[in-house]
Amino acid sequence: MPPDLLIVRTLIVQFFVLRDGESLYLIDTGFIGGKRALHAALLVRGWDALPIRGILLTHGHLDHVRNAPALAARHGAWIAGPERDLEHYEGRACYSGLGRVAGVAEWVGRRLLRQPAFRPDRLLNDGDEIPVWDGLRVVALPGHTHGHCGYYSARHRLLFSGDLFATFGLGPQIAPAYLNQDNAEARRSIHRALELPLEGVLPCHANQAAPALQLEYLRALATP
Ligand SMILES: [Zn+2]
């Protein structure tokens, strides 16, 4: 694992802290308990005095963006996320077919948690380059949501793969149909991800296996 990477684990989802010089950047922000877990993880790593300057979002689901507005406000950090998930950040996403199950869960969760609508400071599209961590490239991996993306580090040949697939609980799996906005597209995105020169991937719903093994799981899912 790169020494300038910290994984913040919570019960159902994990997210990532990247250290770039004396600044920190987050990829996703977790769900309930995420802020406390972040604080604890930063203390253990000795990074707690470093400023969080930016937050990158893989998609607009509540278990990834829950803490983004509060953390951005507290740290004066910018938020960047895929443009095609704007409807999610703004709490007006539409789901069709089986995906309506996720839509209802989001609707209920947002109201129970009084999730504020927000608009990222920067809206991202496929191929955009983020000048963080020696460069992160936005890789559109749609299907789970229309805007769902990964962040690719060429330096580490590492892909932060969001919810492209998951490896916790029942083992490696593609997100079930009722959690995706477009299932066929989600499957195509797995092949798109595997076209990158990769040594590892880091999903957000994952067991504790190293990125190289997560990549093996993904390759196995792609083989019929
Ligand atoms: Zn999701």
Side-chain angles (χ1 to χ4, degrees):
M1 201 71 73
D4 47 4
L5 169 64
L6 174 62
I7 300 180
V8 182
R9 295 181 205 279
T10 65
L11 200 54
I12 63 154
V13 66
Q14 62 183 14
F15 58 103
F16 309 96
V17 186
L18 309 180
R19 179 171 179 169
D20 185 332
E22 297 304 298
S23 300
L24 302 179
Y25 299 87
L26 305 182
I27 295 183
D28 286 343
T29 62
F31 193 39
I32 296 165
K35 278 184 291 185
R36 194 178 313 137
L38 172 64
H39 183 65
L42 292 177
L43 272 176
V44 169
R45 185 61 72 90
W47 291 2
D48 50 300
L50 299 175
I52 297 173
R53 300 228 187 262
I55 298 169
L56 295 160
L57 301 172
T58 60
H59 63 298
H61 279 165
L62 195 52
D63 54 328
H64 299 252
V65 308
R66 167 65 182 154
N67 302 303
L71 287 170
R74 185 189 303 167
H75 296 275
W78 47 258
I79 301 177
E83 179 161 18
R84 290 187 70 201
D85 268 12
L86 196 54
E87 59 182 27
H88 290 270
Y89 321 128
E90 294 184 340
R92 52 179 178 79
C94 293
Y95 295 78
S96 58
L98 278 176
R100 276 193 285 255
V101 175
V104 169
E106 283 274 317
W107 190 90
V108 171
R110 284 178 176 276
R111 270 146 197 83
L112 283 177
L113 296 169
R114 298 174 195 275
Q115 178 73 8
F118 67 96
R119 189 184 175 93
D121 304 282
R122 182 172 172 196
L123 294 171
L124 302 173
N125 287 290
D126 188 44
D128 285 352
E129 295 279 347
I130 316 287
V132 160
W133 225 49
D134 285 339
L136 291 171
R137 187 162 89 236
V138 177
V139 182
L141 299 170
H144 181 62
T145 62
H146 297 314
H148 180 273
C149 76
Y151 294 98
Y152 177 66
S153 161
R155 173 170 62 118
H156 295 292
R157 297 162 77 96
L158 181 66
L159 177 69
F160 296 90
S161 57
D163 284 359
L164 180 67
F165 73 119
T167 64
F168 72 166
L170 299 171
Q173 61 209 274
I174 300 167
Y178 64 88
L179 291 180
N180 287 338
Q181 278 187 314
D182 185 330
N183 254 345
E185 206 175 32
R187 289 191 166 269
R188 282 195 295 276
S189 287
I190 286 185
H191 292 279
R192 178 158 206 245
L194 288 172
E195 286 167 9
L196 295 163
L198 285 173
E199 285 174 20
V201 292
L202 281 167
C204 288
H205 301 285
N207 61 22
Q208 299 207 7
L213 186 50
Q214 303 286 352
L215 176 59
E216 291 314 309
Y217 296 146
L218 182 61
R219 288 198 172 118
L221 285 174
T223 342

